[in-house]
Amino acid sequence: MESTMTRRLISALFLLLLITVGSSATPTHWRKRVREPCNKLVFYFHDIIYNGHNAKNATAAIVGAPSWGNKTILAGQNHFGDVVVFDDPITLDNNLHSPPVGRAQGFYIYDKKEIFTSWLAFSFVFNSTQHKGSINFAGADPLMNKTRDISVIGGTGDFFMTRGVATLSTDAFEGEVYFRLRVDINLYECW
Amino acid sequence: MESTMTRRLISALFLLLLITVGSSATPTHWRKRVREPCNKLVFYFHDIIYNGHNAKNATAAIVGAPSWGNKTILAGQNHFGDVVVFDDPITLDNNLHSPPVGRAQGFYIYDKKEIFTSWLAFSFVFNSTQHKGSINFAGADPLMNKTRDISVIGGTGDFFMTRGVATLSTDAFEGEVYFRLRVDINLYECW
Amino acid sequence: MESTMTRRLISALFLLLLITVGSSATPTHWRKRVREPCNKLVFYFHDIIYNGHNAKNATAAIVGAPSWGNKTILAGQNHFGDVVVFDDPITLDNNLHSPPVGRAQGFYIYDKKEIFTSWLAFSFVFNSTQHKGSINFAGADPLMNKTRDISVIGGTGDFFMTRGVATLSTDAFEGEVYFRLRVDINLYECW
């Protein structure tokens, strides 16, 4: 009786040891990572491109253009080569006139001749009662797709060291002057 | 006999407990990380810079230049200050005419007066049967070195949340219009 | 006696099993992460903007500007829209003439009309006896704040796969031509 129990215990110990060693020694990149966000946020931001007539309201300006372009009209060929710097208000809903919770600051480039597509790198710089700090983004933005995923490459303050994926969707656009993006931020690394 | 076995078991339990607690409580940045890629990929991409005469074939254009430069000829002083936007085909081999598996989209800047060196940020945007999604890159590219390492800063789709290092090498160049880069991507964080 | 010990052992085993499974199965983003740097570094870098008269000493040049700007004078409206490419010496102390340990290479944009604020993406490219490799940075830089946090988004060589936060502070500036930044780098992921 005693030895049977003891043997069972020893077996259990070895099994446990195997499980323990197996799971603990697994290097970071082999460990199963759960694709469950540790934080989810939704924002809107509003881009008003300077066109030579809207200096007061504009939040963005063309600062680079190909040889066939200029700085007040987005270039032909789907704006290929235009570089736009922006400082756009971030709001919690889709109303341009809602109180901003921060600014979206950075730049985008139009990077394809055949269709509208862009590449962007920017930060959300928060300064509200809810959020302090910044979230940094980079990635390709194929504008003709309903939703586009870019990377959250880092963060500071409340978003210290964060990483994740942000899904962009064009919520509205008016001519070539105003557009509004909805950003669904899913953070998968939180500190 | 009984008490000896029991004592051994208790010792084993404590040892096990130590191992378990020791390994599990180690914070992420102290844990040994294995420098073993979880994914390896090799691609080529092809950059044809617009020079005023090749509008049809060009995949890239100068969009920013220093005061001494212009938009159709790369500037003197090792092109210092030239900003180039690109939308280059990605191929599996070094043949420009192979079927592209995606597009390399982003920009590079020449950033040194004394020698050729650049800084780039771009995405590989895949749309093939093998790969969907994107990989985002950023880093310094000292062109005169045979190989140059840049960072994989994120990814989406098949490359969700990935990180790693990409090694660039210039596979060919023709004058100042065409160059081909080989990219050896080593991913060390896979989800 | 025997059965009491055995029961205790079994209880201990189950408890241990719970602890083990509990801690090992915790996904990466739920695990407690210690905000303790695995590496701390301090550097200075020195930016001399080309103004049309300092070609020999300049380490940076305006390469993009809004329609109201030009390439030799930083634009009005707090330089909004100016894009500057740089290749700045990195030193260990705040002396411009100290032997550089590497170069800070990349670009910054001024991105707000109302106050000075910028967004930057660049690399520290080291080539000294102490450090080989590169550190890549990106983030918003609200210049009027005493300290500003940006993200360390990756690294190569000695800084393979690193991540962290860098705190920028303006150590000195002279007119609109020279400024010196102190960078306190805190790395939280080291490989």
Side-chain angles (χ1 to χ4, degrees), chain B residues 39 41 43 92 101 126-133 158-159:
Chain B
N39 198 355
L41 301 154
F43 297 103
L92 294 175
V101 295
F126 294 102
N127 191 9
S128 70
T129 44
Q130 291 133 295
H131 303 298
K132 305 274 182 221
D158 290 354
F159 303 101

Side-chain angles (χ1 to χ4, degrees), chain A residues 59-87:
Chain A
T59 64
I62 305 171
V63 301
S67 62
W68 61 88
N70 68 54
K71 304 285 180 67
T72 45
I73 302 168
L74 287 164
Q77 305 212 47
N78 292 293
H79 314 338
F80 178 76
D82 280 333
V83 180
V84 178
V85 168
F86 61 91
D87 167 43

Side-chain angles (χ1 to χ4, degrees), chain B residues 132-184:
Chain B
K132 305 274 182 221
S134 65
I135 303 177
N136 300 319
F137 305 85
D141 178 19
L143 295 162
M144 304 312 284
N145 297 359
K146 198 169 164 8
T147 62
R148 296 88 68 179
D149 286 347
I150 61 172
S151 293
V152 172
I153 58 174
T156 66
D158 290 354
F159 303 101
F160 179 81
M161 286 289 289
T162 201
R163 291 185 73 232
V165 170
T167 303
L168 307 180
S169 51
T170 306
D171 194 57
F173 63 94
E174 287 166 24
E176 302 204 323
V177 170
Y178 173 73
F179 69 83
R180 181 170 65 231
L181 287 185
R182 179 187 156 114
V183 188
D184 287 77

Side-chain angles (χ1 to χ4, degrees), chain C residues 36-104:
Chain C
E36 189 83 18
C38 46
N39 200 355
K40 288 169 80 83
L41 301 154
V42 180
F43 297 104
Y44 293 81
F45 70 97
H46 309 260
D47 197 69
I48 304 169
I49 304 173
Y50 178 67
N51 67 355
H53 308 292
N54 59 352
K56 215 176 157 183
N57 295 329
T59 64
I62 304 171
V63 300
S67 61
W68 60 87
N70 69 54
K71 305 286 181 68
T72 46
I73 302 169
L74 288 164
Q77 305 212 49
N78 292 294
H79 313 339
F80 178 77
D82 279 334
V83 180
V84 177
V85 167
F86 61 91
D87 166 43
D88 293 347
I90 304 169
T91 58
L92 294 176
D93 61 21
N94 67 2
N95 187 340
L96 169 61
H97 303 292
S98 292
V101 296
R103 307 294 291 193

Side-chain angles (χ1 to χ4, degrees), chain A residues 65-70 75 80-81, chain B residues 50-52 61-64 70-73:
Chain A
S67 62
W68 61 88
N70 68 54
F80 178 76
Chain B
Y50 177 67
N51 66 356
I62 305 169
V63 301
N70 68 53
K71 304 285 181 68
T72 46
I73 302 168

Side-chain angles (χ1 to χ4, degrees), chain A residues 14-34:
Chain A
F14 272 107
L15 188 67
L16 186 55
L17 194 68
L18 280 174
I19 293 169
T20 308
V21 169
S23 59
S24 303
T26 308
T28 299
H29 61 268
W30 289 342
R31 191 146 14 83
K32 200 171 169 296
R33 294 175 192 260
V34 180

Side-chain angles (χ1 to χ4, degrees), chain A residues 100-122:
Chain A
V101 295
R103 308 294 292 191
Q105 300 183 323
F107 72 100
Y108 54 88
I109 54 182
Y110 288 96
D111 60 9
K112 199 170 179 71
K113 288 184 291 186
E114 294 78 16
I115 56 162
F116 282 115
T117 186
S118 77
W119 193 93
L120 30 71
F122 63 98

Side-chain angles (χ1 to χ4, degrees), chain B residues 6 13 17 20 24 27-29 31 33-35 64-65 67 81 83 107 111-113 119 138 140 151 163-164 188, chain C residues 5 9 16 20 23 31 34 36 50 55 58 63 71 87 105 121 123 125 136 154-155 160-163 188 190-191:
Chain B
T6 306
L13 265 175
L17 194 68
T20 309
S24 303
T28 299
H29 61 266
R31 192 148 9 87
R33 294 175 191 261
V34 181
R35 291 198 187 192
S67 61
V83 180
F107 72 100
D111 59 8
K112 201 172 177 70
K113 288 184 290 185
W119 194 92
S151 293
R163 291 185 73 232
Y188 296 89
Chain C
M5 280 311 290
L9 273 172
L16 186 55
T20 309
S23 59
R31 192 149 8 86
V34 180
E36 189 83 18
Y50 178 67
V63 300
K71 305 286 181 68
D87 166 43
Q105 301 183 324
S123 302
V125 181
N136 300 319
F160 179 81
M161 287 288 289
T162 201
R163 290 185 74 231
Y188 296 89
C190 303
W191 282 62

